[in-house]
Amino acid sequence: ERAFNALAELEKGRESLPAFAPALRALADAPETVRAALRRIEAPVDQIEAAVIDRAVERALAVRPAARESSGPGLEAQGKTMGAALDRLRQANAEALLDGARRRFVEHVSLTTRLELELDQERQAERRRFVAARQELERELAKSQRFRSIRELMASNAGLLIRDLKPIWLMSPLSVADILPLEPDLFDVAIFDEASQVPLEEAAPTLFRAPQAIVVGDEKQLPPTNFFGGGAEESDGFDESAGDDDGPVLDLDADSFLGQAARTLPSTLLGWHYRSRSEELIAFSNALFYGGRLISIPSARELQGREPIVAAGAEEGERLWPEILNRPVSWHRTPFGVYERQRNLGEAAYVAEMVRGLLKSKTDKTIGVVAFSEAQQTEIERALDRLAKADASFRNLYEAALEREEDGQFVGLFVKNLENVQGDERDIIIVSVCYAPDTAGRMRMNFGPINRAGGEKRLNVIFSRAKDHLALVSTISAEAITNDYNTGALCLKTYIRYAEAVSCGDRAGMERALAQVAPQGLATADRPVNPLAERIAQALRERGWTVETALGQSAFVCDLAIRPSGAEADAPPLAVLIDGSSHYAAKDLLERHVVKPQVLAGFGWRVMTVLAMDWRRDPNRVIARIEAACSGATP
């Protein structure tokens, strides 16, 4: 009877049997002990699985007893020890290099004071060269006029000692060709920075002067161009129907020195992105241009919901400038703007008012202004000059800002166009889109250099200049751009949509914009869930804490991000790093235990490490330690 009843039950579930077939086949292939356990133990499968894992962990700990003592605090202490040792190693390496350079110079000078009879034939010849070099150099240094050129000195015997005195030279490729003699072993290595801006013909003479070269650059930034200087500035009569025959065509995919080097030399991606203090400043470029491969730092400041910024007139810039500092990316809508004669006077005046507000606030942040056209750049400069003439207090601040230096480096306020801003960075970047309907209300799909081939690279340059805040000032919304078939125009349209979402704290809208431009999907799409992080987050939420899991727009995430509230609201947030699968996937121990905690701390986080062993040993102690850190106590 029991068998009959069992068969009747199977008959009822006959339609669902195919779904269980793979599990039944796997069970049939399992060891007998597993099959017996599943038949006898009345417990859910996940509990049985947990028990099996627990037993396996106990066996592993029995083989490696030291692992039982591992802990988050212990690992943090070891990371700090490693970091301090790394700092000492770098300092010692720098001192050794300096000492080697000094010793080489002293050795060569002292050689000139020795008698030839004391030296072998080879050293005698070397002594004669350095005696001649010393005499020539001392004679030149004693002059008060009619100095010899650097090229002449370097080509003479004096060049031997000059290279000892000055082993590192910082020059442009054109200066190298103009100043240094054409000798193949002048230097041990030639390093090219911003190589995308170096034409191949300018790089070749520098390559000849060293046996080794290191080429650094970004193929997603601008190659050498002179769009405006070449007479390609757009005209009012140019619209989307105009073809490439209108004006000179500049191919942004043409070979630069970097392009040639990338195809012929072994390469390494410098993935860490340190410029942007808020991840929202680089997330768009990372998704569109770098396939999510840049390692950006999770933002310590929470993205908050805010009202859209819509200005009623240009004078509103003086009132609305604080919104720049309240948001990593702020979108300022200026519907009163009109595009006429390649200018938008309303936008230019609004930007000038915002700059005045920032400078009068005595902010310590550096400022840069970028226009999409040379004409708009000129108009913004004129608007600033008009304010300076009318406002004496602003004039003094403006003049000081233009000449500002920090630690001997120029960090002054600039107003540039998209063609000449590459290589610059400032804490605050204000961008004037400029394009708008004309006086008749017609919106032309004429975006000047952005419409040209490779125009999206120009936008990438602009969007990646800011360290703290980017303000996008635009008369038009994203919907006003209809020539989506043009890559540059589509990039601008999507970025306006992205900037609007970030400005309002709309994380879902921001993710949609990023997903639209990410050619291989977002880095966050297939991120594995850390079950321990979810358990800890749930426990903390039950105790009233605000917790985010897997915070970050790149491969580098905070497993837990805990925001202080109440009396501690202004305290730095806490980043908890947990040893999940991604933790052990990083094979570089320095990166895992030194670089990541140091970078997070440098970007405004308090950092804590929690190991699975900590949780296994005492979950309550882990929660107490995290809460103590969030409250500012010593964990």
Side-chain angles (χ1 to χ4, degrees), residues 585-597:
K587 303 302 182 184
D588 188 332
L589 294 181
L590 282 175
E591 180 178 304
R592 187 198 298 175
H593 301 302
V594 177
V595 174
K596 287 186 176 181

Side-chain angles (χ1 to χ4, degrees), residues 351-352 354-360 363 365-370 377 380-381 384-385 394-406 409-416 421 424-430:
V351 168
M354 286 204 300
V355 171
R356 176 162 68 170
L358 286 166
L359 293 182
K360 282 193 169 184
T363 178
K365 296 186 181 298
T366 57
I367 303 170
V369 180
V370 185
Q377 172 193 348
I380 293 171
E381 291 170 338
L384 286 167
D385 290 340
F394 169 63
R395 180 169 63 249
N396 295 332
L397 293 168
Y398 180 48
E399 290 174 355
L402 290 173
E403 303 298 329
R404 181 176 173 180
E405 290 188 1
E406 291 180 358
Q409 181 178 358
F410 175 74
V411 292
L413 187 152
F414 66 72
V415 181
K416 295 187 176 183
V421 75
D424 291 305
E425 62 178 38
R426 292 294 185 268
D427 298 327
I428 298 171
I429 292 292
I430 302 173

